[in-house]
Amino acid sequence: MLLSVVSVAQTARVKGVVLDSNNRPVRAVNVSCNLMNVTTNENGFYSISIPSNQKALVVFTHVSLKKATVSVLLKANEDYEFNLVMNEQAEQMGEIIVTSNNKKQVQGLITIDPVLIRKIPGANAGVENILRTFAGVNANNELSTQYAVRGGNYDENLVYVNEIEIYRPFLIRSGQQEGLSFTNTDLVQNVDFSAGGFQAKFGDKLSSVLDITYRNPTQFGATFEASFLGGSLSMDAVSKNKKWSAITGVRYRNNSLLVNSQDTQTNFTPSFVDVQTNINYQASAKWQWSFLGNISQNKYDYAPLTRVTKFGTIDKPMALSVFYEGQEKDKYNTYFGALKTTFKVSDIFTLKFIGSVFHTLEREYFDILAQYRLGDVDVTIGSQTYGDVSFTKGIGSQFNHARNDLDALIVNSEVKGFLDWKKNAIEWGVKYTRESIRDRLIEYEVIDSAGFSINPPRIDLPKKDEPYTIYEGPLVPYQSVRAKNFNTINRFSGYAQWSRRDKLGAAEVWYNAGVRVHNWEVSGGSIVGKSQFTISSRAQIAVKPDWEADMVFRVSGGLYHQPPFYRELRDATGQVKPNVKAQQSIHFVLGNDYSFKIWDRPFKLVSELYYKSLTDVNTYTIDNVRIRYAASNVAKAYAQGLDLRLNGEFVPGTESWFSFGYLKTEENSADQGYIARPTDQRLKFGILFQDYMPNIPSMKVYLNLVYNTGVPGGSPAYANPYLYQNRLNDYRRVDVGFSKVLIDNTTGLNKKGWLGNCKELAIGLEIFNLFNNQNAITNTWVRDVYSKNEYAIPNYMTRRVFNIKLNARL
């Protein structure tokens, strides 16, 4: 279909909305250019094709309004949005010259529309919810905002807000504990994402960059949202002299609606609250100050009661029944503040100074006793016990205890410079970071089967074969970790990079080359680590040939290092290994962007082929969202794959996309051979689709579909992956949202009474997990006392859930 209907004619498009002086849509406006004529619809919307690479005169006429004329210069296949306010007094004339702004395109960055972020449904709506639909992004836990990119893990992603690096809590072990993502979507102005091969100005991580910019408001405004999952409120404020501006957001979230849909019945009282503000002060034409602050409190009180999980096959169904005693009380308080000042030394030279402080106080306390019964299910039709456990194969109990506390203080100080000299852009930066960590880790697990305590699989313990043989050895917990760490990490890092846009014959060429350096040292208590140093060089080249087809070719790559953070220094026993090296990765990314038109609407096919070779790999295991590192560098690995994404206006005026990804990633630890890594997600399909009813355009539909093949996981924590490795089932999820727009400043819907000042008002219904798929995140392992077998009982995620949401904007 694409080959047969793609249009490569040398045209561009102008589209937008025509309003009157009262900001009401104007229908029946005649829009003409050369021999092309269109008319605005009842919403004031128009779309017209114009000749490219030449000045084209677009004329707007209406029977009761004065004529407006605009001269437009666009490049081939370019789209430009032009919203016009027509008046009754005088004719209007103007000129628009738009040069192709493909700076982010050639850098390999994906730009996400903030409006789209706020509309797309998801159990954890936000920026991360959109990333799930991208090829190469693995996220199989709808309660978590964590994601893995192209074979990496959750700790290998950079997140920036206003050029300031953002950190996440340390002790989180399950998605339902997370609560709110740092990013408040009500405050967002721009979102860029790179899945690999990114520039040297971005920090020292191996996988991806998420670069977010918050809005700088120009007038008063407010947004409000309420649903069964919580609510949010944001306010925009501007001083009379326009020098001061501020945007502040408050959010509250309660996951009870989602958690109560799982197999485990609980008394669950979560409370996730945060307050964010971004304050800007324009001291002069050359000097600007800004402050970004955040206070977040996540309280998680969890008391499980019962659980019934049915599994097995049609011929041999089984069930696990669990009765719980005890509770879990977790608390995560984070405080973040950053001061940034920008000084424009001259028209071509700019300096930035950034200082930030991140403080997190985390507590994880639980004592939970689980008594279980494993057995066969009665499937005899007509039986009085149909569906119940008819024969018990295993009974036992499991007691989990934890008293974990963490206090982390991270201080950053940074200077950046930017020089725009002729066709060259030179950027550099120097940064100092001090990480102070105080950590107490006390947790253990005791398991018994049929009343007899089970020892861990350790060779230093005598064989335990009760009740058949008397055991006289020590009774020890199945798992036990005790550690107390007080550590400080001092880091110095810097970068320098050069960019240039040029011509190569008739083709446009963009170059970027840069280098990063990083020095760090771990100390604290009796630990004295050695000073370590890395240097990473990176480059990008993009070419836009002078072809009829609008194509951009990109090659990027280089050497990437990830110096260890505190979590990567701590091994499975809780001990800190100060001399863990930085993981190293060589990236190679080959990409192509092909822009074209179908049905006279814009589309783009983005394809990227990548390969990563990793050395000094610090191996790890993932349990739900908790990562445990080996704190060693005895492995090597690779990741290779293909990402495809087709996006465009499948429905006029809306953006949608389809994505497909293939990935293979394996590791070789201590020369034992290559096995799949924990994030080896082979195939990925994602769909983000927007639609509306043609006859009722205020009725909108949003679809979010994700299909991921299963990743290695769900194996017992003590299992050697070289002896036993299990894959979880495929992850399949569809979330759909229906929205009725009651008021929109571009639709002309009536505004009456107290709603007169409301610019937007919509009410919606969301259905999470539309097809009620059972997705498992981990397994619970239960022993059969008779056969000595162990059964993997899937821990299912959320089922189908309905949610009602109200949105308003002033």
Side-chain angles (χ1 to χ4, degrees), residues 460-728:
D460 60 326
L461 294 174
K463 184 179 179 181
K464 201 168 187 290
D465 192 27
E466 294 176 298
Y468 309 105
T469 305
I470 297 175
Y471 176 75
E472 297 180 348
L475 294 176
V476 297
Y478 197 75
Q479 295 185 72
S480 179
V481 178
R482 287 178 177 267
K484 186 179 290 186
N485 302 309
F486 296 82
N487 299 107
T488 300
I489 307 174
N490 290 293
R491 304 180 188 271
F492 293 91
S493 61
Y495 70 90
Q497 69 175 39
W498 161 81
S499 304
R500 179 180 175 88
R501 185 186 294 272
D502 213 334
K503 285 278 190 178
L504 185 63
E508 295 183 39
V509 185
W510 185 85
Y511 310 93
N512 174 270
V515 62
R516 284 194 68 87
V517 295
H518 196 127
N519 171 260
W520 75 98
E521 185 175 340
V522 182
S523 61
S526 59
I527 292 176
V528 179
K530 63 183 181 181
S531 178
Q532 301 189 61
F533 179 82
T534 62
I535 181 168
S536 310
S537 56
R538 309 171 187 179
Q540 296 178 326
I541 300 176
V543 179
K544 181 175 173 44
D546 186 23
W547 296 348
E548 287 189 354
D550 185 358
M551 285 194 175
V552 175
F553 296 92
R554 297 187 309 275
V555 178
S556 61
L559 184 62
Y560 293 76
H561 287 97
Q562 180 164 320
F565 199 51
Y566 172 73
R567 195 184 351 251
E568 295 154 78
L569 297 170
R570 196 177 71 179
D571 66 11
T573 66
Q575 302 302 313
V576 170
K577 306 296 184 182
N579 295 323
V580 174
K581 299 178 184 178
Q583 298 184 82
Q584 178 176 292
S585 176
I586 298 175
H587 287 205
F588 177 77
V589 182
L590 179 63
N592 172 259
D593 289 6
Y594 177 32
S595 300
F596 54 91
K597 288 190 176 182
I598 304 178
W599 312 303
D600 200 31
R601 298 198 293 269
F603 286 83
K604 180 187 289 186
L605 176 64
V606 181
S607 54
E608 287 194 336
L609 186 68
Y610 60 88
Y611 181 83
K612 297 193 286 188
S613 175
L614 297 94
T615 54
D616 291 330
V617 172
N618 190 351
T619 58
Y620 59 89
T621 60
I622 299 180
D623 183 7
N624 203 309
V625 298
R626 188 186 194 187
I627 300 177
R628 286 185 170 178
Y629 289 92
S632 63
N633 301 99
V634 297
K636 56 185 177 180
Y638 71 89
Q640 61 187 25
L642 171 68
D643 289 351
L644 300 173
R645 187 167 73 102
L646 175 65
N647 69 296
E649 293 188 14
F650 293 91
V651 176
T654 66
E655 182 183 16
S656 303
W657 61 71
F658 295 77
S659 61
F660 165 76
Y662 165 77
L663 164 70
K664 182 178 181 180
T665 180
E666 294 183 321
E667 65 186 18
N668 181 355
S669 180
D671 293 326
Q672 299 180 76
Y674 280 96
I675 59 171
R677 304 193 78 194
T679 54
D680 181 37
Q681 176 191 283
R682 292 298 171 90
L683 295 178
K684 163 70 176 283
F685 296 94
I687 298 176
L688 187 149
F689 200 84
Q690 300 183 79
D691 200 355
Y692 58 85
M693 298 179 65
N695 296 327
I696 313 176
S698 61
M699 195 71 190
K700 303 179 184 297
V701 180
Y702 305 98
L703 179 72
N704 182 358
L705 180 150
V706 173
Y707 171 80
N708 303 331
T709 54
V711 296
S715 304
Y718 57 82
N720 182 344
Y722 279 92
L723 299 178
Y724 178 77
Q725 191 177 59
N726 183 50
R727 277 189 183 265
L728 296 170

Side-chain angles (χ1 to χ4, degrees), residues 101-116:
N101 182 19
N102 58 1
K103 180 178 178 181
K104 293 179 180 179
Q105 181 183 17
V106 297
Q107 293 178 10
L109 294 173
I110 300 173
T111 299
I112 306 172
D113 184 359
V115 176
L116 190 65

